[in-house]
DNA sequence: CTCAAAATTGTGATCGTTCACAAACGAGCC
DNA sequence: GGCTCGTTTGTGAACGATCACAATTTTGAG
């Protein structure tokens, strides 16, 4: 068949250029928003792109030396599904995917996830491999990678902008975080306003930055109300440990009438103990949680909780990275507002 | 500095070739597992790759006309986080990410997620755009896209292998599914074995393939035990509706003593009603759920559930796609075994 | 009307890899 | 030893975009 060419793939920039009667570079300029294109030509190129259904090939763009239009989100790798789900609440990733993809897509970018070992020796190598193979334009580090200075340094060496979730000390990075101190304070003050003075805080892990900040906020709110007794229990984010810790607190001479748990799973442990001992919630024991996974609405009773705005945080990280790459400017810090959602476990009626 | 060149990026295949003293093509052969390389040379190349920390650039590979080493997972796009989380249980995506990434990574592949509108007119276009920009080597369609024949056709036109999750009719596609009929049968027989004969099934949605199959399995198990009364309630996967439906069933003259819910959220509704009416679970009302999100272990009491093996399904889909691309062969169907996990809501002790 | 400056458009080189094909090498057979 | 055939290695072209720079057109001031 004379003149027929075998096409390895779909519509290319040359096809658009040929259809309009301009060079590929002019089409490229339109794609990349260069100002120096005659309005009439720009119009015709847009029409041709639409008509032909042209979409730029991401790999080719990357090869051309331009941007990759890819944001890489780094999560910690775990071995089993159980560990993965227990990691940081099982809807953390769900929210990441939603928030991140929605934000990236709105700008014509893509979000790619990669798992990297937390172990420092493997972490650097894992990130380096991901960078080499994907060549992202920006990287998001989630906990606990966000606290790994080595990874931040590696990204700086490569000149790749970095956003950190749940970290607030950065100067060279985009830090996106919520005010953990204020959130714990709000939860504590909510209970104090309801008349409680024996309020326990079940911490997740001493070495987690967020736990320490929350304990500080809790203590500050108590102090502010003139309550001298802080009742901090050492949990590990898991049900069984929390059960023991809460049981021990309740066995004291002057037991708590309210519990703040560092995540939902531990709040469920509080409900479970209350149920087992015939304590009414919230009358005998009020419960507040940090996290607000969808399931807490269906607990018996539904849990009052500080909502962790994960989707918003990731969306903000993506938007900021994109803005940084496309518009220049300097990395900034973004505090995302938290929310205290009052439900039946502290006496409110709503679900 | 004489001879110094400005490097736009990291280690390339040429660097490895130069270090070993061979041509790039020989290194490429080693990377792609070609058999025709002298063992001694292969050895030295592997050593150099290791020493230099070389990782192939994915974009360049794709440009070279080879594979992209990318599996694209298509999910339905929704507008709000609430809808996203309510979609199919909030840990569906969590499991997808874990199962899919783990499987892909093991083969040196990558998993990329993309959101595509469910609306038929936009769906085709959304997928076409994703294909054009990412050029994946394989695509996974999750519900409800898995049932969209138009998308399957589009992939066939492009010659891109396709795996469908939760679909079992495919001939040209890799279909990965669980035996919904048998699972519902197992749940039903479990309750019958515990002495129940008034067993209700709260369906999720009539037009969901899986709901219909589960109802069939439920009815078959009843018939098998000589129980003539099937008590099917029409739910919509949501708490509030399920609450009404279950209340109506309990108001009957001869109310059910057991409820099977089509997802966890509706099972929580059953627990909630029981708690509100002072019915003991499992003594007065036994509850079985389909889904087994992590939270059901912390319900009061913990829920017996059919575990939906989402992570395994996605992992299987990825592995099969990769095998198909790398090894040839024909698409096959994969039935993933389900599991009935017995907990306190049907009388068992474990969590 | 002329000419310089600004705006617009086009051309070759380039990114890092694989493909297609050609060349060199080595073993086995008569 | 010479020849063929299979194994191993190398070379130029290609993929589809962007970059750097050059060429052309348009604009506007004198």
């Amino acid at each position: 068949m004379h003149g027929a060419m075998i096409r390895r793939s779909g519509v290319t920039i040359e096809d658009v250029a040929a259809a309009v009667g301009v060079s590929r570079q002019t089409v490229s300029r339109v794609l990349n928003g260069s100002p120096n294109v005659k309005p009439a030509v720009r119009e015709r190129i847009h029409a041709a792109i639409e008509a032909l259904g042209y979409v730029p090939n991401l790999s080719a763009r990357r090869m051309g030396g331009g941007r990759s239009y890819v944001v890489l989100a780094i999560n910690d790798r775990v071995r089993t599904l159980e560990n993965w789900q227990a990691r940081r609440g099982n809807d953390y990733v769900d929210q990441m995917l939603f928030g991140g993809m929605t934000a990236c897509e709105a700008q014509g970018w893509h979000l790619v996830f990669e798992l990297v070992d937390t172990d420092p020796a493997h972490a650097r190598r894992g990130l380096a491999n991901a960078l080499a193979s994907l060549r992202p334009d920006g990287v998001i580090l989630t906990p606990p990678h966000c606290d790994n200075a080595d990874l931040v340094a590696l990204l700086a060496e490569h000149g790749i902008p970095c956003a950190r979730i749940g970290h607030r000390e950065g100067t060279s990075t985009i830090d996106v975080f919520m005010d953990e101190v204020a959130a714990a304070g709000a939860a504590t003050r909510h209970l104090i306003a309801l008349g409680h003075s024996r309020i326990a805080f079940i911490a997740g892990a001493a070495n987690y930055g967020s736990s320490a900040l929350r304990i500080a906020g809790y203590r500050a709110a108590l102090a502010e109300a003139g309550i001298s007794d802080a009742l901090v229990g050492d949990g590990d984010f898991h049900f069984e440990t929390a059960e023991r810790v809460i049981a021990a607190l309740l066995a004291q001479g002057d037991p708590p009438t309210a519990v703040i748990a560092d995540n939902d799973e531990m709040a469920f442990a509080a409900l479970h103990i209350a149920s087992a001992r015939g304590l009414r919630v919230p009358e005998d024991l009020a419960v507040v949680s940090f996290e607000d996974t969808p399931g807490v609405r269906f607990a018996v009773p539904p849990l009052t909780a500080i909502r962790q705005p994960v989707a918003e945080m990731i969306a903000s990280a993506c938007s900021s990275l994109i803005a940084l790459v496309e518009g220049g400017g300097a990395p900034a810090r973004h505090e995302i507002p938290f929310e205290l959602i009052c439900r039946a476990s502290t006496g409110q009626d709503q679900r």
Side-chain angles (χ1 to χ4, degrees), chain A:
Chain A
M1 226 181 275
H2 149 271
M5 275 181 21
I6 290 161
R7 294 305 288 267
R8 206 160 68 176
S9 57
V11 182
T12 74
I13 198 172
E14 294 280 8
D15 297 325
V16 176
V20 178
V22 294
S23 71
R24 50 186 151 76
Q25 186 57 28
T26 300
V27 178
S28 176
R29 280 193 260 266
V30 170
L31 289 174
N32 293 288
S34 158
N36 293 331
V37 177
K38 240 185 201 159
V41 175
R42 178 189 305 275
E43 200 59 40
R44 281 192 295 145
I45 290 177
H46 272 134
I49 288 173
E50 183 69 21
L52 296 173
Y54 168 72
V55 179
N57 179 322
L58 222 53
S59 300
R61 284 189 130 171
R62 173 65 243 187
M63 285 307 294
R67 301 200 264 275
S68 65
Y69 297 90
V70 164
V71 172
L72 176 63
I74 301 291
N75 278 273
D76 50 328
R77 179 202 276 122
V78 293
R79 291 230 199 75
T80 67
L81 179 59
E82 285 67 34
N83 286 339
W84 173 258
Q85 291 178 323
R87 222 159 80 278
R88 289 193 297 269
N90 72 307
D91 83 324
Y92 195 99
V93 170
D94 206 54
Q95 287 201 46
M96 276 187 67
L97 203 70
F98 179 80
M101 297 209 31
T102 304
C104 284
E105 200 182 54
Q107 313 278 330
W109 281 52
H110 298 262
L111 182 65
V112 176
F113 285 79
E114 202 79 4
L115 303 180
V116 167
D117 275 312
T118 303
D119 155 41
H122 290 84
R124 188 185 177 90
R125 197 195 164 107
L127 178 57
N129 286 357
L131 295 182
S133 90
L134 293 168
R135 309 280 162 150
D137 288 335
V139 170
I140 297 177
L141 298 178
T142 65
H145 288 305
C146 60
D147 298 322
N148 187 331
D150 197 30
L151 298 186
V152 175
L154 179 62
L155 289 167
E157 283 168 30
H158 284 251
I160 300 175
C162 167
R164 299 198 269 182
I165 305 296
H167 189 276
R168 55 187 304 160
E169 317 294 337
T171 52
S172 64
T173 55
I174 295 167
D175 279 15
V176 182
F177 53 88
M178 69 175 233
D179 189 338
E180 306 281 358
V181 175
T188 309
R189 277 188 291 274
H190 171 60
L191 289 168
I192 292 170
L194 292 171
H196 295 273
S197 60
R198 302 288 299 165
I199 302 170
F201 185 95
I202 314 300
N207 61 343
Y208 257 58
S210 60
S211 289
L213 293 171
R214 290 173 190 175
I215 291 175
Y218 156 78
R219 287 183 187 278
L222 289 184
E224 184 187 293
I227 300 172
S228 56
D229 267 16
L231 306 168
V232 177
D234 289 331
D236 60 359
F237 289 127
H238 292 295
F239 190 94
E240 286 74 13
T241 306
E243 226 177 355
R244 279 201 307 278
V245 171
I246 295 166
L249 285 168
L250 289 174
Q252 287 180 174
D254 193 2
T257 61
V259 168
I260 304 174
D262 212 350
N263 73 339
D264 287 341
E265 185 166 330
M266 298 198 297
F268 282 123
L271 291 187
H272 190 257
I273 289 192
S275 161
R277 307 196 167 189
L279 295 173
R280 293 163 304 165
V281 177
E283 293 83 353
D284 304 322
L285 189 71
V287 180
V288 176
S289 179
F290 259 88
E291 196 170 352
D292 198 49
T293 49
V296 304
R297 295 190 300 134
F298 310 125
V300 182
L303 283 169
T304 289
I306 295 283
R307 197 172 82 83
Q308 250 194 313
V310 176
E312 288 91 329
M313 292 201 287
I314 304 289
S316 169
C318 289
S319 305
S320 302
L321 281 173
I322 294 172
L324 192 61
V325 171
E326 303 213 313
R333 303 160 81 237
H334 298 273
E335 182 177 315
I336 307 293
F338 64 86
E339 205 180 334
L340 173 67
I341 299 171
C342 299
R343 302 199 183 89
S345 73
T346 57
Q348 281 69 17
D349 208 25
Q350 70 176 90
R351 165 161 296 116

